[in-house]
Amino acid sequence: MMESEQTNSENERLSIKNGVYTTIILNISNNYFPLFAISVLGATNYQVGLISSLPPFIGMFAMIIGSLIINRLQEKKMFTVYSFLAARLFLVGIALVVFIPDKYQVIVFIVLVGIMNFPFSFANLSWQAFIGDIIQEDRRSGFFSTRNKMMTLIGMISTFFIGIFLQFFDKTDPIPFVGLYLLAFVLGLLEINYLKKHVEPKKKELPKKRSTHFGISVFRNKAFLYFIISALFFNFAWQMCWTLFSIYQIKYAGATGLWISLFAVANSIGQIISFKWWARMADKHSNAKMLILVSLGMAIAPFITIFSTNLVFLVITNIFAGLFVSGTVLMLFNQLLDVTNEDNRSLCISNYNILLAFVAFIAPQFGVFLLETTNIYTAMNISGFLRAFSGIFFFFLYIYLKRREGVSFKRKMAKI
């Protein structure tokens, strides 16, 4: 028993270290993709939209393939390791984009960012199933709260210093971005090292009877089905203005690399101060109930952002947004684990991520379409309204889960 507890504790410690490096890598690379594309490569609005939507489109196909592989794996750790390594190798290619002819730079950059998500989708999918296996259910809220808080804190610090670093260069200078992407690759090797050190529990041999198709049977689980519907609608509303935020901050408010960093830092501050509160509220009220509040809070961000192009004001709005981003990340993942069973969790997660990837592809493009056909203010307001409306979906999910819990309790009492 003591050995098992030691293993669990060590896995949690390693997962936090692994997550810290993952966060730094994403902050160094993904956070500055739009700025790099607009300021250095001269990308159009639609091209900036593709930076957000092409990766999930490619990832959607990757997850279909990945789900077939992962659902047949008894041990997932090394598959996760190799997938992360393949994804990080693309950062080297992205760093070298500035050395090819100018007319090809934007399209090659977008293609590399998109294709990079093929192995990263494998990595993300297998990591979710892997971490779901090694973290006990009664420890999840507390562990993920601590992990997310630590990741956000380190991410905030790294982002701040990256912003200061970029301030020493002209925003059209590609050299600092080349250095950052190469640094991200080196840090990726450390990220993978801590992932390899995890101890994966040995599983019993998988049963012979397994689904050979795209796991449609998992949707017979009504709790999972209702969660899928609610989460996909919310993610569409949430992600449709990711590109709009970048365009508004860079093109309308004139944000430089330092200000982009300050926005990310402010968002991180909001997340850090709210992680534990969300974890406590989830334990007290349930993830489903708190997702109602999350969706309403997330709805306010687009509305208040377009009040002003003042950069200091935008920093403050990002602090507010961060308060609810932490809840979004924590609640959605925990609720996904709650509505799945251990025997088919990998298959459920695969289906969820494939559908999520499809939404992540169309949502940013829809946001840019609204921007081009109306204006930035109308597009942002529509996103805010849809975010708020998603709270209705989470409300009905909560009601269903409470009723199911009551029925289950009555059946247990009847047996007694």
Side-chain angles (χ1 to χ4, degrees), residues 127-147:
W127 180 86
Q128 288 183 1
F130 171 62
I131 207 71
D133 288 343
I134 67 175
I135 303 299
Q136 296 175 348
E137 186 174 351
D138 59 345
R139 295 177 63 90
R140 284 176 190 158
S141 290
F143 165 71
F144 285 119
S145 172
T146 301
R147 184 179 190 271

mmCIF file with all atom_site columns, all heavy atoms in Angstrom, residues 127-147:
data_model
loop_
_atom_site.group_PDB
_atom_site.id
_atom_site.type_symbol
_atom_site.label_atom_id
_atom_site.label_alt_id
_atom_site.label_comp_id
_atom_site.label_asym_id
_atom_site.label_entity_id
_atom_site.label_seq_id
_atom_site.pdbx_PDB_ins_code
_atom_site.Cartn_x
_atom_site.Cartn_y
_atom_site.Cartn_z
_atom_site.occupancy
_atom_site.B_iso_or_equiv
_atom_site.pdbx_formal_charge
_atom_site.auth_seq_id
_atom_site.auth_comp_id
_atom_site.auth_asym_id
_atom_site.auth_atom_id
_atom_site.pdbx_PDB_model_num
ATOM 1   N N   . TRP A 1 127 ? -1.958  11.091 -23.855 1.00 0.00 ? 127 TRP A N   1
ATOM 2   C CA  . TRP A 1 127 ? -1.661  11.641 -22.523 1.00 0.00 ? 127 TRP A CA  1
ATOM 3   C C   . TRP A 1 127 ? -2.913  11.670 -21.661 1.00 0.00 ? 127 TRP A C   1
ATOM 4   O O   . TRP A 1 127 ? -2.879  11.327 -20.471 1.00 0.00 ? 127 TRP A O   1
ATOM 5   C CB  . TRP A 1 127 ? -1.073  13.051 -22.631 1.00 0.00 ? 127 TRP A CB  1
ATOM 6   C CG  . TRP A 1 127 ? -0.760  13.630 -21.275 1.00 0.00 ? 127 TRP A CG  1
ATOM 7   C CD1 . TRP A 1 127 ? 0.386   13.468 -20.559 1.00 0.00 ? 127 TRP A CD1 1
ATOM 8   C CD2 . TRP A 1 127 ? -1.627  14.439 -20.456 1.00 0.00 ? 127 TRP A CD2 1
ATOM 9   N NE1 . TRP A 1 127 ? 0.298   14.113 -19.345 1.00 0.00 ? 127 TRP A NE1 1
ATOM 10  C CE2 . TRP A 1 127 ? -0.935  14.720 -19.260 1.00 0.00 ? 127 TRP A CE2 1
ATOM 11  C CE3 . TRP A 1 127 ? -2.917  14.946 -20.621 1.00 0.00 ? 127 TRP A CE3 1
ATOM 12  C CZ2 . TRP A 1 127 ? -1.486  15.494 -18.237 1.00 0.00 ? 127 TRP A CZ2 1
ATOM 13  C CZ3 . TRP A 1 127 ? -3.471  15.714 -19.604 1.00 0.00 ? 127 TRP A CZ3 1
ATOM 14  C CH2 . TRP A 1 127 ? -2.759  15.980 -18.433 1.00 0.00 ? 127 TRP A CH2 1
ATOM 15  N N   . GLN A 1 128 ? -4.046  12.079 -22.222 1.00 0.00 ? 128 GLN A N   1
ATOM 16  C CA  . GLN A 1 128 ? -5.292  12.138 -21.455 1.00 0.00 ? 128 GLN A CA  1
ATOM 17  C C   . GLN A 1 128 ? -5.684  10.757 -20.946 1.00 0.00 ? 128 GLN A C   1
ATOM 18  O O   . GLN A 1 128 ? -6.084  10.596 -19.791 1.00 0.00 ? 128 GLN A O   1
ATOM 19  C CB  . GLN A 1 128 ? -6.410  12.742 -22.308 1.00 0.00 ? 128 GLN A CB  1
ATOM 20  C CG  . GLN A 1 128 ? -6.270  14.228 -22.551 1.00 0.00 ? 128 GLN A CG  1
ATOM 21  C CD  . GLN A 1 128 ? -7.446  14.796 -23.333 1.00 0.00 ? 128 GLN A CD  1
ATOM 22  O OE1 . GLN A 1 128 ? -8.377  14.086 -23.688 1.00 0.00 ? 128 GLN A OE1 1
ATOM 23  N NE2 . GLN A 1 128 ? -7.397  16.087 -23.611 1.00 0.00 ? 128 GLN A NE2 1
ATOM 24  N N   . ALA A 1 129 ? -5.590  9.765  -21.824 1.00 0.00 ? 129 ALA A N   1
ATOM 25  C CA  . ALA A 1 129 ? -5.921  8.399  -21.406 1.00 0.00 ? 129 ALA A CA  1
ATOM 26  C C   . ALA A 1 129 ? -4.906  7.894  -20.389 1.00 0.00 ? 129 ALA A C   1
ATOM 27  O O   . ALA A 1 129 ? -5.266  7.229  -19.403 1.00 0.00 ? 129 ALA A O   1
ATOM 28  C CB  . ALA A 1 129 ? -5.962  7.485  -22.625 1.00 0.00 ? 129 ALA A CB  1
ATOM 29  N N   . PHE A 1 130 ? -3.643  8.217  -20.600 1.00 0.00 ? 130 PHE A N   1
ATOM 30  C CA  . PHE A 1 130 ? -2.554  7.795  -19.725 1.00 0.00 ? 130 PHE A CA  1
ATOM 31  C C   . PHE A 1 130 ? -2.713  8.402  -18.330 1.00 0.00 ? 130 PHE A C   1
ATOM 32  O O   . PHE A 1 130 ? -2.648  7.702  -17.312 1.00 0.00 ? 130 PHE A O   1
ATOM 33  C CB  . PHE A 1 130 ? -1.224  8.220  -20.367 1.00 0.00 ? 130 PHE A CB  1
ATOM 34  C CG  . PHE A 1 130 ? -0.013  8.040  -19.486 1.00 0.00 ? 130 PHE A CG  1
ATOM 35  C CD1 . PHE A 1 130 ? 0.358   6.786  -19.035 1.00 0.00 ? 130 PHE A CD1 1
ATOM 36  C CD2 . PHE A 1 130 ? 0.778   9.128  -19.137 1.00 0.00 ? 130 PHE A CD2 1
ATOM 37  C CE1 . PHE A 1 130 ? 1.480   6.619  -18.239 1.00 0.00 ? 130 PHE A CE1 1
ATOM 38  C CE2 . PHE A 1 130 ? 1.894   8.975  -18.349 1.00 0.00 ? 130 PHE A CE2 1
ATOM 39  C CZ  . PHE A 1 130 ? 2.250   7.717  -17.896 1.00 0.00 ? 130 PHE A CZ  1
ATOM 40  N N   . ILE A 1 131 ? -2.960  9.712  -18.271 1.00 0.00 ? 131 ILE A N   1
ATOM 41  C CA  . ILE A 1 131 ? -3.068  10.391 -16.974 1.00 0.00 ? 131 ILE A CA  1
ATOM 42  C C   . ILE A 1 131 ? -4.347  9.975  -16.259 1.00 0.00 ? 131 ILE A C   1
ATOM 43  O O   . ILE A 1 131 ? -4.413  9.927  -15.023 1.00 0.00 ? 131 ILE A O   1
ATOM 44  C CB  . ILE A 1 131 ? -3.001  11.932 -17.148 1.00 0.00 ? 131 ILE A CB  1
ATOM 45  C CG1 . ILE A 1 131 ? -2.457  12.598 -15.879 1.00 0.00 ? 131 ILE A CG1 1
ATOM 46  C CG2 . ILE A 1 131 ? -4.354  12.514 -17.506 1.00 0.00 ? 131 ILE A CG2 1
ATOM 47  C CD1 . ILE A 1 131 ? -0.996  12.376 -15.634 1.00 0.00 ? 131 ILE A CD1 1
ATOM 48  N N   . GLY A 1 132 ? -5.391  9.655  -17.022 1.00 0.00 ? 132 GLY A N   1
ATOM 49  C CA  . GLY A 1 132 ? -6.628  9.164  -16.422 1.00 0.00 ? 132 GLY A CA  1
ATOM 50  C C   . GLY A 1 132 ? -6.443  7.819  -15.743 1.00 0.00 ? 132 GLY A C   1
ATOM 51  O O   . GLY A 1 132 ? -7.124  7.494  -14.762 1.00 0.00 ? 132 GLY A O   1
ATOM 52  N N   . ASP A 1 133 ? -5.485  7.028  -16.259 1.00 0.00 ? 133 ASP A N   1
ATOM 53  C CA  . ASP A 1 133 ? -5.202  5.710  -15.679 1.00 0.00 ? 133 ASP A CA  1
ATOM 54  C C   . ASP A 1 133 ? -4.372  5.805  -14.405 1.00 0.00 ? 133 ASP A C   1
ATOM 55  O O   . ASP A 1 133 ? -4.531  4.986  -13.495 1.00 0.00 ? 133 ASP A O   1
ATOM 56  C CB  . ASP A 1 133 ? -4.454  4.832  -16.694 1.00 0.00 ? 133 ASP A CB  1
ATOM 57  C CG  . ASP A 1 133 ? -5.348  4.375  -17.838 1.00 0.00 ? 133 ASP A CG  1
ATOM 58  O OD1 . ASP A 1 133 ? -6.578  4.450  -17.680 1.00 0.00 ? 133 ASP A OD1 1
ATOM 59  O OD2 . ASP A 1 133 ? -4.810  3.955  -18.882 1.00 0.00 ? 133 ASP A OD2 1
ATOM 60  N N   . ILE A 1 134 ? -3.452  6.794  -14.339 1.00 0.00 ? 134 ILE A N   1
ATOM 61  C CA  . ILE A 1 134 ? -2.505  6.806  -13.215 1.00 0.00 ? 134 ILE A CA  1
ATOM 62  C C   . ILE A 1 134 ? -2.913  7.737  -12.068 1.00 0.00 ? 134 ILE A C   1
ATOM 63  O O   . ILE A 1 134 ? -2.348  7.650  -10.986 1.00 0.00 ? 134 ILE A O   1
ATOM 64  C CB  . ILE A 1 134 ? -1.075  7.166  -13.689 1.00 0.00 ? 134 ILE A CB  1
ATOM 65  C CG1 . ILE A 1 134 ? -1.008  8.614  -14.190 1.00 0.00 ? 134 ILE A CG1 1
ATOM 66  C CG2 . ILE A 1 134 ? -0.592  6.198  -14.753 1.00 0.00 ? 134 ILE A CG2 1
ATOM 67  C CD1 . ILE A 1 134 ? 0.407   9.050  -14.542 1.00 0.00 ? 134 ILE A CD1 1
ATOM 68  N N   . ILE A 1 135 ? -3.878  8.638  -12.302 1.00 0.00 ? 135 ILE A N   1
ATOM 69  C CA  . ILE A 1 135 ? -4.342  9.521  -11.228 1.00 0.00 ? 135 ILE A CA  1
ATOM 70  C C   . ILE A 1 135 ? -5.685  9.011  -10.714 1.00 0.00 ? 135 ILE A C   1
ATOM 71  O O   . ILE A 1 135 ? -6.647  8.915  -11.465 1.00 0.00 ? 135 ILE A O   1
ATOM 72  C CB  . ILE A 1 135 ? -4.479  10.980 -11.715 1.00 0.00 ? 135 ILE A CB  1
ATOM 73  C CG1 . ILE A 1 135 ? -3.143  11.489 -12.279 1.00 0.00 ? 135 ILE A CG1 1
ATOM 74  C CG2 . ILE A 1 135 ? -4.956  11.871 -10.573 1.00 0.00 ? 135 ILE A CG2 1
ATOM 75  C CD1 . ILE A 1 135 ? -2.008  11.506 -11.293 1.00 0.00 ? 135 ILE A CD1 1
ATOM 76  N N   . GLN A 1 136 ? -5.730  8.706  -9.426  1.00 0.00 ? 136 GLN A N   1
ATOM 77  C CA  . GLN A 1 136 ? -6.953  8.154  -8.828  1.00 0.00 ? 136 GLN A CA  1
ATOM 78  C C   . GLN A 1 136 ? -8.076  9.192  -8.848  1.00 0.00 ? 136 GLN A C   1
ATOM 79  O O   . GLN A 1 136 ? -7.846  10.394 -8.720  1.00 0.00 ? 136 GLN A O   1
ATOM 80  C CB  . GLN A 1 136 ? -6.669  7.720  -7.388  1.00 0.00 ? 136 GLN A CB  1
ATOM 81  C CG  . GLN A 1 136 ? -5.665  6.585  -7.280  1.00 0.00 ? 136 GLN A CG  1
ATOM 82  C CD  . GLN A 1 136 ? -5.310  6.260  -5.844  1.00 0.00 ? 136 GLN A CD  1
ATOM 83  O OE1 . GLN A 1 136 ? -5.636  7.019  -4.934  1.00 0.00 ? 136 GLN A OE1 1
ATOM 84  N NE2 . GLN A 1 136 ? -4.635  5.139  -5.641  1.00 0.00 ? 136 GLN A NE2 1
ATOM 85  N N   . GLU A 1 137 ? -9.296  8.684  -8.975  1.00 0.00 ? 137 GLU A N   1
ATOM 86  C CA  . GLU A 1 137 ? -10.461 9.562  -9.122  1.00 0.00 ? 137 GLU A CA  1
ATOM 87  C C   . GLU A 1 137 ? -10.613 10.536 -7.957  1.00 0.00 ? 137 GLU A C   1
ATOM 88  O O   . GLU A 1 137 ? -10.919 11.704 -8.154  1.00 0.00 ? 137 GLU A O   1
ATOM 89  C CB  . GLU A 1 137 ? -11.728 8.707  -9.255  1.00 0.00 ? 137 GLU A CB  1
ATOM 90  C CG  . GLU A 1 137 ? -12.968 9.520  -9.555  1.00 0.00 ? 137 GLU A CG  1
ATOM 91  C CD  . GLU A 1 137 ? -14.181 8.644  -9.814  1.00 0.00 ? 137 GLU A CD  1
ATOM 92  O OE1 . GLU A 1 137 ? -14.023 7.415  -9.932  1.00 0.00 ? 137 GLU A OE1 1
ATOM 93  O OE2 . GLU A 1 137 ? -15.288 9.207  -9.890  1.00 0.00 ? 137 GLU A OE2 1
ATOM 94  N N   . ASP A 1 138 ? -10.369 10.078 -6.729  1.00 0.00 ? 138 ASP A N   1
ATOM 95  C CA  . ASP A 1 138 ? -10.573 10.945 -5.567  1.00 0.00 ? 138 ASP A CA  1
ATOM 96  C C   . ASP A 1 138 ? -9.487  12.019 -5.419  1.00 0.00 ? 138 ASP A C   1
ATOM 97  O O   . ASP A 1 138 ? -9.606  12.903 -4.573  1.00 0.00 ? 138 ASP A O   1
ATOM 98  C CB  . ASP A 1 138 ? -10.654 10.107 -4.282  1.00 0.00 ? 138 ASP A CB  1
ATOM 99  C CG  . ASP A 1 138 ? -9.386  9.289  -4.052  1.00 0.00 ? 138 ASP A CG  1
ATOM 100 O OD1 . ASP A 1 138 ? -8.581  9.146  -4.995  1.00 0.00 ? 138 ASP A OD1 1
ATOM 101 O OD2 . ASP A 1 138 ? -9.198  8.796  -2.926  1.00 0.00 ? 138 ASP A OD2 1
ATOM 102 N N   . ARG A 1 139 ? -8.441  11.944 -6.229  1.00 0.00 ? 139 ARG A N   1
ATOM 103 C CA  . ARG A 1 139 ? -7.346  12.913 -6.153  1.00 0.00 ? 139 ARG A CA  1
ATOM 104 C C   . ARG A 1 139 ? -7.349  13.893 -7.328  1.00 0.00 ? 139 ARG A C   1
ATOM 105 O O   . ARG A 1 139 ? -6.530  14.823 -7.351  1.00 0.00 ? 139 ARG A O   1
ATOM 106 C CB  . ARG A 1 139 ? -5.997  12.185 -6.114  1.00 0.00 ? 139 ARG A CB  1
ATOM 107 C CG  . ARG A 1 139 ? -5.785  11.333 -4.883  1.00 0.00 ? 139 ARG A CG  1
ATOM 108 C CD  . ARG A 1 139 ? -4.452  10.598 -4.958  1.00 0.00 ? 139 ARG A CD  1
ATOM 109 N NE  . ARG A 1 139 ? -3.331  11.504 -4.973  1.00 0.00 ? 139 ARG A NE  1
ATOM 110 C CZ  . ARG A 1 139 ? -2.694  11.951 -3.883  1.00 0.00 ? 139 ARG A CZ  1
ATOM 111 N NH1 . ARG A 1 139 ? -3.106  11.568 -2.688  1.00 0.00 ? 139 ARG A NH1 1
ATOM 112 N NH2 . ARG A 1 139 ? -1.667  12.773 -3.984  1.00 0.00 ? 139 ARG A NH2 1
ATOM 113 N N   . ARG A 1 140 ? -8.241  13.679 -8.289  1.00 0.00 ? 140 ARG A N   1
ATOM 114 C CA  . ARG A 1 140 ? -8.155  14.438 -9.532  1.00 0.00 ? 140 ARG A CA  1
ATOM 115 C C   . ARG A 1 140 ? -8.336  15.945 -9.362  1.00 0.00 ? 140 ARG A C   1
ATOM 116 O O   . ARG A 1 140 ? -7.536  16.735 -9.865  1.00 0.00 ? 140 ARG A O   1
ATOM 117 C CB  . ARG A 1 140 ? -9.171  13.899 -10.548 1.00 0.00 ? 140 ARG A CB  1
ATOM 118 C CG  . ARG A 1 140 ? -8.735  12.600 -11.183 1.00 0.00 ? 140 ARG A CG  1
ATOM 119 C CD  . ARG A 1 140 ? -9.801  12.043 -12.103 1.00 0.00 ? 140 ARG A CD  1
ATOM 120 N NE  . ARG A 1 140 ? -9.475  10.683 -12.517 1.00 0.00 ? 140 ARG A NE  1
ATOM 121 C CZ  . ARG A 1 140 ? -10.366 9.816  -12.948 1.00 0.00 ? 140 ARG A CZ  1
ATOM 122 N NH1 . ARG A 1 140 ? -11.652 10.151 -13.010 1.00 0.00 ? 140 ARG A NH1 1
ATOM 123 N NH2 . ARG A 1 140 ? -9.996  8.605  -13.306 1.00 0.00 ? 140 ARG A NH2 1
ATOM 124 N N   . SER A 1 141 ? -9.407  16.356 -8.682  1.00 0.00 ? 141 SER A N   1
ATOM 125 C CA  . SER A 1 141 ? -9.669  17.785 -8.545  1.00 0.00 ? 141 SER A CA  1
ATOM 126 C C   . SER A 1 141 ? -8.496  18.501 -7.897  1.00 0.00 ? 141 SER A C   1
ATOM 127 O O   . SER A 1 141 ? -8.020  19.532 -8.389  1.00 0.00 ? 141 SER A O   1
ATOM 128 C CB  . SER A 1 141 ? -10.950 18.023 -7.739  1.00 0.00 ? 141 SER A CB  1
ATOM 129 O OG  . SER A 1 141 ? -12.080 17.639 -8.474  1.00 0.00 ? 141 SER A OG  1
ATOM 130 N N   . GLY A 1 142 ? -8.020  17.955 -6.788  1.00 0.00 ? 142 GLY A N   1
ATOM 131 C CA  . GLY A 1 142 ? -6.908  18.577 -6.080  1.00 0.00 ? 142 GLY A CA  1
ATOM 132 C C   . GLY A 1 142 ? -5.629  18.557 -6.896  1.00 0.00 ? 142 GLY A C   1
ATOM 133 O O   . GLY A 1 142 ? -4.907  19.563 -6.964  1.00 0.00 ? 142 GLY A O   1
ATOM 134 N N   . PHE A 1 143 ? -5.333  17.403 -7.512  1.00 0.00 ? 143 PHE A N   1
ATOM 135 C CA  . PHE A 1 143 ? -4.101  17.283 -8.282  1.00 0.00 ? 143 PHE A CA  1
ATOM 136 C C   . PHE A 1 143 ? -4.108  18.209 -9.491  1.00 0.00 ? 143 PHE A C   1
ATOM 137 O O   . PHE A 1 143 ? -3.139  18.947 -9.726  1.00 0.00 ? 143 PHE A O   1
ATOM 138 C CB  . PHE A 1 143 ? -3.892  15.835 -8.745  1.00 0.00 ? 143 PHE A CB  1
ATOM 139 C CG  . PHE A 1 143 ? -2.860  15.711 -9.831  1.00 0.00 ? 143 PHE A CG  1
ATOM 140 C CD1 . PHE A 1 143 ? -1.517  15.912 -9.548  1.00 0.00 ? 143 PHE A CD1 1
ATOM 141 C CD2 . PHE A 1 143 ? -3.233  15.413 -11.139 1.00 0.00 ? 143 PHE A CD2 1
ATOM 142 C CE1 . PHE A 1 143 ? -0.558  15.819 -10.554 1.00 0.00 ? 143 PHE A CE1 1
ATOM 143 C CE2 . PHE A 1 143 ? -2.279  15.317 -12.140 1.00 0.00 ? 143 PHE A CE2 1
ATOM 144 C CZ  . PHE A 1 143 ? -0.944  15.510 -11.841 1.00 0.00 ? 143 PHE A CZ  1
ATOM 145 N N   . PHE A 1 144 ? -5.181  18.164 -10.292 1.00 0.00 ? 144 PHE A N   1
ATOM 146 C CA  . PHE A 1 144 ? -5.201  18.995 -11.492 1.00 0.00 ? 144 PHE A CA  1
ATOM 147 C C   . PHE A 1 144 ? -5.241  20.479 -11.149 1.00 0.00 ? 144 PHE A C   1
ATOM 148 O O   . PHE A 1 144 ? -4.705  21.312 -11.894 1.00 0.00 ? 144 PHE A O   1
ATOM 149 C CB  . PHE A 1 144 ? -6.383  18.617 -12.392 1.00 0.00 ? 144 PHE A CB  1
ATOM 150 C CG  . PHE A 1 144 ? -6.182  17.327 -13.134 1.00 0.00 ? 144 PHE A CG  1
ATOM 151 C CD1 . PHE A 1 144 ? -7.040  16.252 -12.954 1.00 0.00 ? 144 PHE A CD1 1
ATOM 152 C CD2 . PHE A 1 144 ? -5.118  17.176 -14.002 1.00 0.00 ? 144 PHE A CD2 1
ATOM 153 C CE1 . PHE A 1 144 ? -6.837  15.063 -13.632 1.00 0.00 ? 144 PHE A CE1 1
ATOM 154 C CE2 . PHE A 1 144 ? -4.908  15.982 -14.679 1.00 0.00 ? 144 PHE A CE2 1
ATOM 155 C CZ  . PHE A 1 144 ? -5.778  14.922 -14.495 1.00 0.00 ? 144 PHE A CZ  1
ATOM 156 N N   . SER A 1 145 ? -5.847  20.819 -10.032 1.00 0.00 ? 145 SER A N   1
ATOM 157 C CA  . SER A 1 145 ? -5.830  22.207 -9.588  1.00 0.00 ? 145 SER A CA  1
ATOM 158 C C   . SER A 1 145 ? -4.404  22.648 -9.287  1.00 0.00 ? 145 SER A C   1
ATOM 159 O O   . SER A 1 145 ? -3.953  23.715 -9.723  1.00 0.00 ? 145 SER A O   1
ATOM 160 C CB  . SER A 1 145 ? -6.707  22.368 -8.342  1.00 0.00 ? 145 SER A CB  1
ATOM 161 O OG  . SER A 1 145 ? -6.563  23.665 -7.803  1.00 0.00 ? 145 SER A OG  1
ATOM 162 N N   . THR A 1 146 ? -3.666  21.818 -8.537  1.00 0.00 ? 146 THR A N   1
ATOM 163 C CA  . THR A 1 146 ? -2.276  22.133 -8.201  1.00 0.00 ? 146 THR A CA  1
ATOM 164 C C   . THR A 1 146 ? -1.410  22.166 -9.447  1.00 0.00 ? 146 THR A C   1
ATOM 165 O O   . THR A 1 146 ? -0.589  23.079 -9.638  1.00 0.00 ? 146 THR A O   1
ATOM 166 C CB  . THR A 1 146 ? -1.718  21.087 -7.211  1.00 0.00 ? 146 THR A CB  1
ATOM 167 O OG1 . THR A 1 146 ? -2.521  21.080 -6.036  1.00 0.00 ? 146 THR A OG1 1
ATOM 168 C CG2 . THR A 1 146 ? -0.276  21.405 -6.845  1.00 0.00 ? 146 THR A CG2 1
ATOM 169 N N   . ARG A 1 147 ? -1.585  21.162 -10.301 1.00 0.00 ? 147 ARG A N   1
ATOM 170 C CA  . ARG A 1 147 ? -0.794  21.085 -11.536 1.00 0.00 ? 147 ARG A CA  1
ATOM 171 C C   . ARG A 1 147 ? -1.046  22.288 -12.429 1.00 0.00 ? 147 ARG A C   1
ATOM 172 O O   . ARG A 1 147 ? -0.108  22.926 -12.916 1.00 0.00 ? 147 ARG A O   1
ATOM 173 C CB  . ARG A 1 147 ? -1.132  19.791 -12.290 1.00 0.00 ? 147 ARG A CB  1
ATOM 174 C CG  . ARG A 1 147 ? -0.297  19.554 -13.546 1.00 0.00 ? 147 ARG A CG  1
ATOM 175 C CD  . ARG A 1 147 ? -0.710  18.229 -14.201 1.00 0.00 ? 147 ARG A CD  1
ATOM 176 N NE  . ARG A 1 147 ? 0.194   17.842 -15.258 1.00 0.00 ? 147 ARG A NE  1
ATOM 177 C CZ  . ARG A 1 147 ? 0.059   18.203 -16.535 1.00 0.00 ? 147 ARG A CZ  1
ATOM 178 N NH1 . ARG A 1 147 ? -0.974  18.967 -16.890 1.00 0.00 ? 147 ARG A NH1 1
ATOM 179 N NH2 . ARG A 1 147 ? 0.921   17.793 -17.463 1.00 0.00 ? 147 ARG A NH2 1
#
